[in-house]
Amino acid sequence: MKEKNINIEVVVISVIIVAAIAASLIFNPQGSLKAIDSLFGFVSKAFGTPLLWFSLAATILCAYLAFSKTGRIKLGDDNPDFSLFSYIGMMICAGLASASIYFSFIEWIYFYSAPALGLDPMSTEAAEWAPAYSFTYWGLISWPPFVLAALPVAISFYKRKNSGLRFSVVCEDLFGLKEKSLIGKIIDILFVITTLGGMSVTLGLGVPLIASFISFIFGVSDSFALQVIIVIVIAVIFSLSSYIGLEKGMKKISDFNIYIAIAFVVFLLIAGPTIFILKYTTNGAALAVQNYLHILFWTDPVNNGGFSEAWIIFYICFAVAYAPLMALFITRISKGRTIREAILSTVLGGSIGCMVLFGINGGFGMNMQLNGKADLVSLLNDQGVGSTVITILSQLPIPEVISASVFTLMLILFLATSLDSASFSLAAVVTTNLKEGDSPKPAFRLFWCVLLALIPLALMFAGAPLSAIQTVCLATAIPFAFVIILFAVKSLKWFKEEARLLDRKED
């Protein structure tokens, strides 16, 4: 790739910021983690409630765009590049990543042992409400920000024919700024840092869990060196996918991974307590639908127990942190789709996929806890996530090494597809002349893959707890939430213009 096609300023500043954060975590881990903890408290209190309203606004705006005349607008003039199955599968693999696999087995434990709504810990009510929270967090809270961030970029790229998959281009067109403006560069840098925060969660949770399973399967020591090797292996898979190309590489990996995931959860459903899992999932879905606003807006203002800050605000920020990279990725794979198809495939496809995943995996573990097969609550507190998930999978009627190997493969492929989509988006945002159908050079995507791994590896090296990883996501996501809403509202004029043009064509 020629140097003139790369926004060198954005690349250099982003590298400096990433290197500074990683160096701080490596050379002053205790001080850095203490600062991160203080930052979490401040940011969650200052921006917590506005973020709840942001989440509701994102969902309402997506519904409006999907079911109004705007929904008929087609992105690009050609037919879709991917089948509906591959299209939804690629979004799920890129958007869910290993974080969903991680939490699907153990998230209910947190909601069961320390529930919201003033419920008694480990009570019947706490058990029944646990899946409702997961379905809401990984459904209407997570997916609307992805597509809401994508639509202004998609209209800019496919309909207004602006060159480049960059938020700065959208900003400059929306507000009449000159090309390569200072504000545009700041937004591109913000894009990079926000994406970094989202991937810190994905890699920060996924890699240690993979290390636990590899340690179990092969009897090797679970160490930081093993985690580095895992990141290298994932990078190799990602690199092969990148060089093959988006259409052949990531599509095939995503399809294969979705098939494995479907087979895995179906086997869990059949081999496990099938009736309980179905009832557990159905009851949880009903509670989630009936109490969506209650779950979203429960802030515990009197007792201030911290549940809202630890969970719902974190998930909103996680969605916002993932939204920039998902916006460019959804734009790239949505050629030939209507806005209605893009919104419903993303929001409904992602939400239903999560409900199935969390319902079956969580229901399997909950049944073990309730029937005394294992004290998973204590196991999670005493030995961590890896031992807890291994114990859950040990109940399957197949050798433990087989279930652990399949689970590990699934995690690795989810992480590889996440890195693929993230590096694609980062490479695209600093490449200045991408046209419709173009992709950034694979070598440049590999560069971003390496950069993306630095802070998660530094967090692992520092022994950062989950709260520290959450804070990195929280702090990087806040500014971009404002960008998403501002762009979405400002671009409504574009949607109306395109809808009027479509009406004229139909008349």
Side-chain angles (χ1 to χ4, degrees), residues 209-276:
L209 183 56
I210 294 173
S212 296
F213 270 81
I214 290 178
S215 176
F216 169 77
I217 295 169
F218 297 103
V220 298
S221 175
D222 184 354
S223 62
F224 177 71
L226 177 60
Q227 294 174 352
V228 172
I229 293 172
I230 291 169
V231 172
I232 293 173
V233 170
I234 293 170
V236 169
I237 296 173
F238 147 79
S239 301
L240 291 174
S241 170
S242 296
Y243 274 98
I244 293 172
L246 193 67
E247 289 76 10
K248 295 181 179 180
M250 185 174 178
K251 174 185 176 297
K252 290 188 179 298
I253 293 177
S254 297
D255 286 352
F256 179 62
N257 204 19
I258 289 294
Y259 288 133
I260 292 178
I262 291 173
F264 186 81
V265 296
V266 167
F267 179 69
L268 227 69
L269 175 64
I270 295 173
T274 307
I275 300 301
F276 173 83

Side-chain angles (χ1 to χ4, degrees), residues 101-402:
I101 305 296
Y102 176 100
F103 279 115
S104 67
F105 280 98
I106 56 96
E107 189 175 73
W108 65 267
I109 297 176
Y110 297 107
F111 301 153
Y112 177 58
S113 59
L117 305 176
L119 301 177
D120 292 330
M122 301 179 69
S123 62
T124 299
E125 291 79 9
E128 292 182 347
W129 273 87
Y133 271 85
S134 293
F135 297 165
T136 304
Y137 292 167
W138 291 87
L140 288 183
I141 284 177
S142 292
W143 293 94
F146 295 169
V147 71
L148 192 63
L151 291 179
V153 182
I155 289 291
S156 171
F157 191 66
Y158 289 115
K159 308 303 289 186
R160 299 179 68 83
K161 303 300 181 181
N162 286 320
S163 178
L165 278 171
R166 308 195 311 278
F167 276 89
S168 59
V169 172
V170 180
C171 175
E172 288 159 1
D173 193 4
L174 277 175
F175 296 96
L177 302 176
K178 66 179 182 179
E179 188 177 353
K180 297 182 180 179
S181 65
L182 176 61
I183 293 177
K185 291 176 182 177
I186 292 173
I187 286 178
D188 284 341
I189 293 169
L190 186 61
F191 173 98
V192 173
I193 302 306
T194 304
T195 301
L196 175 69
M199 288 305 297
S200 293
V201 175
T202 297
L203 289 170
L205 297 179
V207 172
L209 183 56
I210 294 173
S212 296
F213 270 81
I214 290 178
S215 176
F216 169 77
I217 295 169
F218 297 103
V220 298
S221 175
D222 184 354
S223 62
F224 177 71
L226 177 60
Q227 294 174 352
V228 172
I229 293 172
I230 291 169
V231 172
I232 293 173
V233 170
I234 293 170
V236 169
I237 296 173
F238 147 79
S239 301
L240 291 174
S241 170
S242 296
Y243 274 98
I244 293 172
L246 193 67
E247 289 76 10
K248 295 181 179 180
M250 185 174 178
K251 174 185 176 297
K252 290 188 179 298
I253 293 177
S254 297
D255 286 352
F256 179 62
N257 204 19
I258 289 294
Y259 288 133
I260 292 178
I262 291 173
F264 186 81
V265 296
V266 167
F267 179 69
L268 227 69
L269 175 64
I270 295 173
T274 307
I275 300 301
F276 173 83
I277 290 175
L278 292 175
K279 293 173 69 175
Y280 173 85
T281 303
T282 302
N283 188 70
L287 287 173
V289 172
Q290 292 170 354
N291 297 277
Y292 164 69
L293 290 178
H294 194 186
I295 292 173
L296 175 63
F297 287 127
W298 188 75
T299 57
D300 196 14
V302 177
N303 292 324
N304 286 312
F307 183 94
S308 179
E309 291 82 358
W311 291 105
I312 192 165
I313 292 173
F314 160 66
Y315 275 125
I316 294 172
C317 288
F318 187 26
V320 172
Y322 244 74
L325 74 92
M326 286 299 295
L328 300 197
F329 186 71
I330 290 172
T331 296
R332 177 61 182 83
I333 66 175
S334 293
K335 185 176 71 172
R337 301 282 176 186
T338 64
I339 286 179
R340 182 174 294 125
E341 285 179 302
I343 293 174
L344 296 182
S345 296
T346 303
V347 177
L348 293 184
S351 297
I352 292 171
C354 285
M355 185 183 72
V356 171
L357 188 68
F358 279 75
I360 294 176
N361 294 353
F364 190 95
M366 177 67 83
N367 185 262
M368 289 176 60
Q369 177 75 33
L370 296 177
N371 287 317
K373 295 180 180 178
D375 185 359
L376 298 176
V377 175
S378 298
L379 187 62
L380 178 64
N381 291 330
D382 297 337
Q383 298 185 36
V385 176
S387 297
T388 305
V389 178
I390 288 170
T391 300
I392 293 172
L393 295 181
S394 69
Q395 294 296 308
L396 291 171
I398 56 175
E400 292 182 24
V401 68
I402 294 178

